[in-house]
Amino acid sequence: MSKLQEKVAALPAERCCPALTERELTAEEAELTAAMFKALGDPVRLRLFSKVASHPDSEACVCDIADVGVSQPTVSHHLKKLKEAGLLTSERRGTWVYYRVEPSVLAAMGHLLTPTPASAQVA
Amino acid sequence: MSKLQEKVAALPAERCCPALTERELTAEEAELTAAMFKALGDPVRLRLFSKVASHPDSEACVCDIADVGVSQPTVSHHLKKLKEAGLLTSERRGTWVYYRVEPSVLAAMGHLLTPTPASAQVA
DNA sequence: CCCTTGATTAGACGGTTATCTAAACAGGTG
DNA sequence: CACCTGTTTAGATAACCGTCTAATCAAGGG
């Protein structure tokens, strides 16, 4: 969490790592990238992320998305994880806390999954 | 592993679930999709996947990719996980076993990360 | 037929994680 | 200030996961 988290936070996010098909990842690249995938690798977190991402302006109050079948503290725990992974940001406005999807993150992860030129040739 | 695995295996893979930004995922969709992300959420697995994906024809012998800093049984373990998640297929040809990336899987995961129309309007 | 090389399976161990309950904190309202 | 609602933090527990060594399976070559 500690040092890895700093590295993730320090990333431009728009361009962390090459596409998975471009060349093999270095150990460090793999560690950074895996952290993002890992954050989305839990059903509850994925639902929370999806709820925020599909809300208007990609923003939602905790109270709007907390209904995912686990206790509220657990929801808070997962939101924290998503935040640490750089996938969400949060802001308190009065009583409520709003979570927002960083659009650049989606683009970066999408880039990671760009099909290889080689397979494009084959296809 | 069991029932989830069957469901994952039964998917067309080309179109498992809607984009994360399209609408909030159902519990079942989230479980299926999270399984894929989870498989890529480990640095060693991600490196193995990247090694296969970036090889010519998106195919590689275990002997070509096994150098990721862990023992060979551990490599085998991770390859099995990737295979169970539907991200890789394997085939034995004589002495060696070859792993291959299913191109449709990359496309499906890329689709998941499609930016929301709303954010596109904003941008 | 044995032996070597490549790969997987079995079983165990240590660390991580998801979850809960209980408690604390933050902000608004009467 | 007291209270209520919304949110996070603390601490504990049970399950899961990544890793290893040892053993087993698969395929060829003397």
Side-chain angles (χ1 to χ4, degrees):
Chain A
M1 208 169 288
S2 49
K3 288 193 177 180
L4 176 63
Q5 223 29 66
E6 295 172 14
K7 287 180 181 176
V8 169
L11 284 176
E14 297 80 17
R15 208 51 177 278
C16 150
C17 299
L20 296 183
T21 54
E22 191 179 331
R23 58 169 171 78
E24 65 176 76
L25 268 47
T26 67
E28 183 169 11
E29 285 171 342
E31 206 160 342
L32 294 172
T33 307
M36 287 193 266
F37 282 117
K38 189 177 185 181
L40 294 179
D42 177 89
V44 172
R45 277 199 294 271
L46 193 60
R47 284 185 78 188
L48 289 171
F49 183 84
S50 174
K51 282 190 172 218
V52 175
S54 61
H55 252 246
D57 295 327
S58 302
E59 181 183 83
C61 165
V62 175
C63 57
D64 287 331
I65 61 176
D67 184 22
V68 286
V70 295
S71 71
Q72 198 175 28
T74 301
V75 168
S76 184
H77 165 76
H78 284 305
L79 287 172
K80 186 179 180 181
K81 285 283 183 76
L82 287 167
K83 203 169 142 187
E84 286 174 348
L87 269 53
L88 294 179
T89 57
S90 70
E91 181 191 356
R92 177 161 219 135
R93 290 208 284 275
T95 305
W96 294 279
V97 174
Y98 290 81
Y99 281 80
R100 176 193 294 273
V101 173
E102 285 302 309
S104 60
V105 170
L106 276 178
M109 295 196 77
H111 170 72
L112 278 167
L113 297 166
T114 303
T116 170
S119 68
Q121 289 168 7
V122 172
Chain B
M1 210 169 290
S2 49
K3 287 193 175 178
L4 176 65
Q5 222 30 66
E6 293 171 14
K7 287 179 180 176
V8 170
L11 286 176
E14 297 82 16
R15 207 54 176 276
C16 148
C17 299
L20 297 183
T21 54
E22 191 179 331
R23 59 169 170 77
E24 65 177 75
L25 267 49
T26 67
E28 183 168 12
E29 285 171 342
E31 206 160 345
L32 295 172
T33 307
M36 285 193 267
F37 282 117
K38 189 176 184 179
L40 295 179
D42 177 87
V44 172
R45 277 198 294 272
L46 193 60
R47 283 186 78 187
L48 289 171
F49 184 84
S50 175
K51 281 188 174 220
V52 175
S54 61
H55 252 245
D57 295 327
S58 301
E59 183 183 82
C61 166
V62 175
C63 57
D64 287 331
I65 61 175
D67 183 22
V68 287
V70 295
S71 70
Q72 196 174 31
T74 301
V75 168
S76 184
H77 165 75
H78 284 305
L79 287 172
K80 188 179 181 182
K81 285 283 184 74
L82 287 167
K83 202 170 145 188
E84 286 174 349
L87 269 52
L88 294 178
T89 57
S90 69
E91 182 191 358
R92 176 161 220 134
R93 290 208 285 274
T95 305
W96 296 280
V97 175
Y98 291 81
Y99 281 79
R100 176 192 295 270
V101 173
E102 286 302 310
S104 59
V105 170
L106 276 179
M109 296 197 76
H111 170 72
L112 278 168
L113 297 167
T114 302
T116 170
S119 70
Q121 288 168 8
V122 172

